[in-house]
Amino acid sequence: MLINADLHIHSMYSAATSKHMNIETIATEAKKKGIDLMGTGDCVHPLWLDELKAHGAGDDVFSVGGTHFVLTVEVEDKDRVHHLIILPEVSKAEELHERLFHFSRDIDTNGRPRLQLSGEEVAEHAVEVDGLVGPCHAFTPWTAMYAYFDSLKECYGDMTSQLSFLELGLSADSGYADMIAELSDLTFLSNSDAHSPWLNKLAREFNRFEMSDLTFDELKKAILRKGGRRPVLNVGFFPEEGKYNRTACTRCYRQYTLEQALRSKWRCEACGGLIKKGVRDRVRELASYDVPHHPPHRPPYMHTVPLAEIVRLAIGQKGVNTTSVRSIWLSLIEQAGSEVHALIDAPLDSFEGVDERVIEAIAHFREGRLIIKPGGGGRYGVVRLPRKGETVPPLTSDGSQRTLFDF
């Protein structure tokens, strides 16, 4: 069976997170998105774990309103590197909390706790409670493994061989990561890291796995590519959509080449703000190859834009959280069954009562004919539709997008 999974989100107990990130809302919105399996996020936070247990969390994957959940948590180590841990059962989450409690001042108040541990020590604790572990958003310039280390070994030491995956993050895709030779054996995950359950956040990136059942053991086999289980597709942003793709000022967002940033000593010539190295430039520094070397096990990467963003662009709204955008978004997913199918698979002539501008915009997306002004410095890339008569080459090397059923 094919399972769509978003394994990295946060609950209301994490900093800068929506109060609506409760289990019922996450379950409802995930179903609209076409996601079968969600990570819980924050599973070592005592109050959140109590809520999860009240909704059926126990000794395996559990279900709320038809959406399945697996226990997950993101932690920050002493070097500010973030790690994702996926756990098999509640008792292991409780054991992990007990292990980490003495190394954290905020483990009971912050869903993403800060730890006075190295990456190697974090991985050791995760593995000792039978968890899967790997670096989160591995190339992000603030809180990522490659922001502070030049190799997996530098960060994880003797635990490097125990890593189960690497999470790409919104500003990178498989093409970026497969420029680096040391990553060829790792499974890549593409997750949303959502802090809100709404239209353009939850499941904005997700994974598709071949599994025989919705259990932790099956997910583990799929991530580790054992017993015929495997990832078959990564779905996520065009890297240029990410807010750290290009080297840029963190105050005014002026973009720089790496050479310009070095000459200006990482201070913006326009406003004096701090320049942060973008993911694209960081990957170029680390690259082992001039072009990506995809190993045989690497699944395709499907680039996407959230459906609500497509609707917003089509009808000329400034944001996605408007009545008109949400009304059209709901109509599309109700007719198609989920956002995934509305955006990718459903025949465009099957939609009834939908603004023709929206249908045309979805067609532009499927043909790969969008224009993206790359993001950087903490500001997302800007996506726009082609203007009337404007010639736009496809964003993808193979032309139009394929459907999920092609993978």
Side-chain angles (χ1 to χ4, degrees):
M1 61 192 298
L2 295 176
I3 299 298
N4 293 335
D6 180 1
L7 301 174
H8 180 183
I9 65 167
H10 291 280
S11 74
M12 67 181 79
Y13 295 103
S14 279
T17 304
S18 167
K19 65 181 180 179
H20 298 290
M21 285 298 271
N22 58 72
I23 198 70
E24 297 94 343
T25 302
I26 294 168
T28 299
E29 296 303 313
K31 185 174 290 186
K32 293 175 184 176
K33 295 283 188 172
I35 301 300
D36 308 295
L37 179 63
M38 291 293 306
T40 61
D42 302 356
C43 74
V44 297
H45 189 285
L47 295 179
W48 184 235
L49 188 58
D50 284 345
E51 289 192 35
L52 299 179
K53 289 191 284 187
H55 284 86
D59 58 3
D60 207 326
V61 168
F62 64 102
S63 177
V64 178
T67 298
H68 289 77
F69 288 86
V70 63
L71 296 168
T72 62
V73 63
E74 179 186 22
V75 300
E76 180 176 301
D77 72 20
K78 67 178 183 179
D79 296 307
R80 298 196 67 201
V81 176
H82 288 194
H83 313 268
L84 178 65
I85 302 171
I86 307 172
L87 294 167
E89 57 188 66
V90 165
S91 65
K92 297 298 184 180
E94 292 170 335
E95 182 181 347
L96 185 61
H97 174 277
E98 186 176 333
R99 284 170 167 268
L100 301 181
F101 180 82
H102 302 290
F103 304 101
S104 175
R105 294 181 178 180
D106 65 354
I107 195 167
D108 288 344
T109 58
N110 186 359
R112 185 186 62 205
R114 299 178 178 91
L115 309 175
Q116 290 304 308
L117 294 171
S118 66
E120 182 176 14
E121 291 167 329
V122 169
E124 185 174 359
H125 283 290
V127 169
E128 287 182 354
V129 297
D130 301 325
L132 306 176
V133 63
C136 296
H137 39 73
F139 304 96
T140 303
W142 292 105
T143 54
M145 189 267 295
Y146 280 125
Y148 302 104
F149 299 97
D150 290 337
S151 71
L152 294 169
K153 184 74 172 178
E154 285 183 21
C155 180
Y156 291 102
D158 291 342
M159 293 301 294
T160 301
S161 63
Q162 300 298 309
L163 298 178
S164 299
F165 56 81
L166 175 138
E167 184 184 74
L168 295 165
L170 304 184
S171 293
D173 62 7
S174 299
Y176 277 46
D178 274 334
M179 300 280 285
I180 301 170
E182 70 167 350
L183 301 181
S184 62
D185 289 335
L186 279 176
T187 290
F188 293 159
L189 295 184
S190 44
N191 301 312
S192 70
D193 195 4
H195 288 224
S196 162
W198 305 130
L199 283 64
N200 61 341
K201 302 300 183 185
L202 198 72
R204 56 190 171 179
E205 297 203 344
F206 66 91
N207 314 274
R208 172 166 279 189
F209 297 110
E210 175 67 48
M211 299 161 55
S212 66
D213 199 3
L214 270 165
T215 66
F216 176 83
D217 282 344
E218 283 292 307
L219 176 63
K220 180 178 180 179
K221 288 177 183 177
I223 291 175
L224 298 180
R225 310 188 305 276
K226 295 183 180 295
R229 284 66 162 179
R230 61 193 178 95
V232 296
L233 182 67
N234 291 104
V235 179
F237 279 18
F238 293 93
E240 293 82 3
E241 292 179 76
K243 59 184 180 180
Y244 296 111
N245 182 258
R246 299 297 170 85
T247 297
C249 174
T250 57
R251 184 186 297 169
C252 73
Y253 308 112
R254 178 176 176 176
Q255 295 186 3
Y256 289 84
T257 66
L258 189 57
E259 294 74 16
Q260 290 170 334
L262 288 167
R263 282 200 304 269
S264 63
K265 298 181 180 179
W266 300 96
R267 285 292 173 183
C268 180
E269 297 171 355
C271 73
L274 176 69
I275 298 171
K276 264 294 178 180
K277 187 182 298 179
V279 169
R280 186 182 67 160
D281 285 331
R282 182 59 175 143
V283 168
R284 286 174 174 174
E285 287 182 334
L286 298 166
S288 312
Y289 316 111
D290 293 329
V291 296
H293 279 50
H294 299 300
H297 69 80
R298 187 75 68 222
Y301 192 105
M302 176 183 282
H303 297 95
T304 190
V305 176
L307 179 61
E309 293 287 351
I310 299 294
V311 174
R312 178 190 70 79
L313 291 169
I315 65 175
Q317 296 288 297
K318 289 185 177 180
V320 299
N321 294 312
T322 67
T323 300
S324 54
V325 170
R326 186 167 184 85
S327 176
I328 296 171
W329 179 80
L330 282 171
S331 177
L332 288 166
I333 65 174
E334 285 169 358
Q335 292 186 55
S338 71
E339 173 167 330
V340 168
H341 294 308
L343 187 62
I344 305 295
D345 298 311
L348 293 180
D349 59 7
S350 70
F351 293 114
E352 297 181 357
V354 177
D355 192 315
E356 284 298 321
R357 293 175 296 174
V358 174
I359 302 301
E360 183 180 14
I362 295 174
H364 281 308
F365 162 73
R366 292 185 182 182
E367 294 164 3
R369 299 187 186 281
L370 300 174
I371 297 93
I372 302 176
K373 180 181 178 181
R379 184 164 66 180
Y380 286 105
V382 177
V383 181
R384 71 171 177 86
L385 298 169
R387 301 183 182 93
K388 188 173 182 179
E390 184 177 10
T391 301
V392 181
L395 287 165
T396 51
S397 60
D398 60 348
S400 62
Q401 295 274 24
R402 292 170 284 176
T403 74
L404 286 179
F405 296 116
D406 290 327
F407 298 105

